[in-house]
C-alpha cells in the first residue's frame, strides 16, 4: 500500500516540477511572486479521512465541514521543514485576525509509530494553541496521505535505531465543502498565506 502511495505522490510531484519549469520559462514560477502551485487538471487532491486527535478522540474530515481547512503533513521529529511550515501557519492565523476562527489548521503526522496523541498535542502547542494535531494507525495515515497525494518514506541511518521521514511539504487549503482551493509551496510566508485565504474567503 505504501509503495502505491509513494509512486502516486512522486508522479504528482513530477507533474508539479514540470509545471514549475514551464512557469519559470514564462517568468511566473513560484518563488517569483507566486505562493501557490497549480494542480494539473483531472488530479483529485483531498478526500475522506478518519484520524485521532490529541485527546484520543476519533475525528473525520466531515467534522470540519463549514470551516476552511489548512492541512499540513509532517512529523514531530522533523528537524527543519516542519517547524518552518508550522511557524508560517501560526503567523498566517495571527495575520487573519478574527477570520482565523473560520479556519481549522490541521497537522497530520506521517510517523504514527512515534507520534502518539499526547506527543502530537504537545508538539502543536509549541507553535499555536489553535493547531489541531492528528495521528492514527498506519492504515489511517496511509489512507489520508493517499487522498492528499502525500509522499512519505522512512529513512533509516546505518548503525542507528533513529530515523527520519522523507516527505513532501505542501500546505493544502480546503474549502468549507472539503474541496481543494489552493496548494501552497514550501516556504510561503504567513503573510502571503493569510492574504490568499482572505481572497479565497471573499470569493466564496
Amino acid at each position: 500500500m505504501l509503495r502505491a502511495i509513494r509512486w502516486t505522490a512522486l508522479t504528482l510531484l513530477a507533474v508539479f516540477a514540470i509545471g514549475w519549469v514551464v512557469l519559470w520559462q514564462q517568468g511566473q514560477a513560484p518563488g517569483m511572486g507566486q505562493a501557490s502551485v497549480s494542480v494539473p487538471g483531472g488530479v483529485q487532491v483531498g478526500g475522506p479521512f478518519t484520524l485521532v486527535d490529541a485527546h484520543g478522540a476519533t475525528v473525520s474530515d466531515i467534522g470540519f465541514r463549514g470551516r476552511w481547512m489548512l492541512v499540513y503533513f509532517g512529523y514531530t521529529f522533523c528537524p527543519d521543514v516542519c517547524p518552518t511550515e508550522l511557524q508560517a501557519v501560526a503567523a498566517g492565523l495571527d495575520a487573519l485576525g478574527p477570520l482565523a476562527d473560520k479556519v481549522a489548521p490541521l497537522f497530520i503526522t506521517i510517523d504514527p509509530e512515534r507520534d502518539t496523541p499526547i506527543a502530537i498535542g504537545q508538539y502543536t502547542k509549541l507553535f499555536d494553541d489553535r493547531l489541531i494535531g492528528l495521528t492514527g494507525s498506519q492504515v489511517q495515515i496511509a489512507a489520508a496521505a493517499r487522498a492528499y497525494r502525500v509522499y512519505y518514506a522512512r529513512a533509516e541511518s546505518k548503525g542507528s535505531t533513529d530515523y527520519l521521514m522523507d516527505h513532501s511539504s505542501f500546505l493544502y487549503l480546503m474549502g468549507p465543502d472539503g474541496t481543494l482551493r489552493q496548494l501552497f509551496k514550501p516556504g510561503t510566508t504567513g503573510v502571503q498565506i493569510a492574504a490568499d485565504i482572505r481572497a479565497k474567503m471573499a470569493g466564496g
Side-chain angles (χ1 to χ4, degrees), residues 6 59 78 89 103 116 129 135 152 155 184 192:
R6 293 167 188 166
V59 299
C78 184
V89 169
V103 178
T116 63
D129 287 338
T135 185
Y152 69 98
F184 294 100
Q192 186 63 62

Side-chain angles (χ1 to χ4, degrees), residues 31-194:
M32 298 177 67
Q34 291 205 5
S36 61
V37 178
S38 297
V39 177
V43 176
Q44 174 102 23
V45 178
F49 61 76
T50 300
L51 297 167
V52 179
D53 69 13
H55 304 290
T58 298
V59 299
S60 74
D61 58 299
I62 300 300
F64 297 105
R65 289 294 181 271
R67 298 177 68 187
W68 295 75
M69 291 193 304
L70 197 55
V71 185
Y72 184 76
F73 287 79
Y75 67 113
T76 65
F77 283 78
C78 184
D80 40 38
V81 65
C82 298
T84 299
E85 295 304 309
L86 291 183
Q87 287 171 355
V89 169
L93 294 174
D94 288 341
L96 279 172
L99 286 178
D101 292 340
K102 298 183 178 181
V103 178
L106 309 183
F107 176 68
I108 301 176
T109 184
I110 42 85
D111 184 21
E113 182 177 327
R114 293 182 294 189
D115 290 345
T116 63
I118 292 176
I120 203 165
Q122 292 174 338
Y123 184 74
T124 53
K125 286 184 180 299
L126 296 175
F127 300 93
D128 196 295
D129 287 338
R130 292 167 291 188
L131 279 170
I132 302 169
L134 298 177
T135 185
S137 67
Q138 293 282 3
V139 171
Q140 289 174 319
I141 295 300
R146 182 168 60 249
Y148 280 80
R149 312 290 177 140
V150 172
Y151 164 77
Y152 69 98
R154 182 164 167 162
E156 298 185 16
S157 300
K158 291 184 178 179
S160 174
T161 57
D162 292 333
Y163 63 90
L164 297 175
M165 297 291 292
D166 293 331
H167 64 97
S168 52
S169 185
F170 292 106
L171 183 61
Y172 306 81
L173 177 64
M174 314 301 290
D177 59 353
T179 61
L180 180 69
R181 300 300 181 85
Q182 189 155 332
L183 186 62
F184 294 100
K185 71 182 183 70
T188 304
T189 66
V191 171
Q192 186 63 62
I193 290 171

